[in-house]
Amino acid sequence: MLYRAVAPFLRDSHEDVREAAVTAAVILAEHPALAVHRDHLAEHARALLDTSSDDPNRRVAWKALEAWGHDVTDIEPFQEDPWDCGPHSDGRGDLEPPF
């Protein structure tokens, strides 16, 4: 249901809206039921990496591409920020759902 709500905004003309939609869709696609959308989302994630200056969104896109088996060797890997390992961290990565 959430993915269907986000998908129409993947090609929005406003960069901020498009980036938010791509980031949300990539995270949602980690659920096995939405895995069929990953190849399509990989194109959007690659575009986000090419155009965005928002490091958290770029990190999500990079990690998704890497996790989905796409070649990310031409993209500089991101360093984990200290907030990723804060006192409330349960050890999961950005793309690991809580279920």
Side-chain angles (χ1 to χ4, degrees), residues 1-15:
M1 180 172 77
L2 291 175
Y3 181 83
R4 284 193 306 262
V6 168
F9 298 99
L10 293 173
R11 297 188 189 277
D12 197 89
S13 61
H14 293 91
E15 183 179 353

Side-chain angles (χ1 to χ4, degrees), residues 3-87:
Y3 181 83
R4 284 193 306 262
V6 168
F9 298 99
L10 293 173
R11 297 188 189 277
D12 197 89
S13 61
H14 293 91
E15 183 179 353
D16 292 341
V17 173
R18 186 174 56 250
E19 279 191 29
V22 170
T23 303
V26 163
I27 292 170
L28 291 168
E30 284 302 301
H31 190 280
L34 297 173
V36 297
H37 299 287
R38 291 178 185 168
D39 285 336
H40 170 73
L41 288 173
E43 297 172 27
H44 293 287
R46 180 77 56 180
L48 188 148
L49 285 168
D50 291 343
T51 61
S52 178
S53 61
D54 185 277
D55 280 347
N57 288 348
R58 294 185 81 240
R59 184 179 294 109
V60 168
W62 188 87
K63 284 186 171 187
L65 289 172
E66 181 184 47
W68 299 343
H70 292 266
D71 182 19
V72 291
T73 56
D74 60 328
I75 304 165
E76 185 176 329
F78 292 89
Q79 296 293 324
E80 292 297 324
D81 289 334
W83 55 264
D84 289 341
C85 302

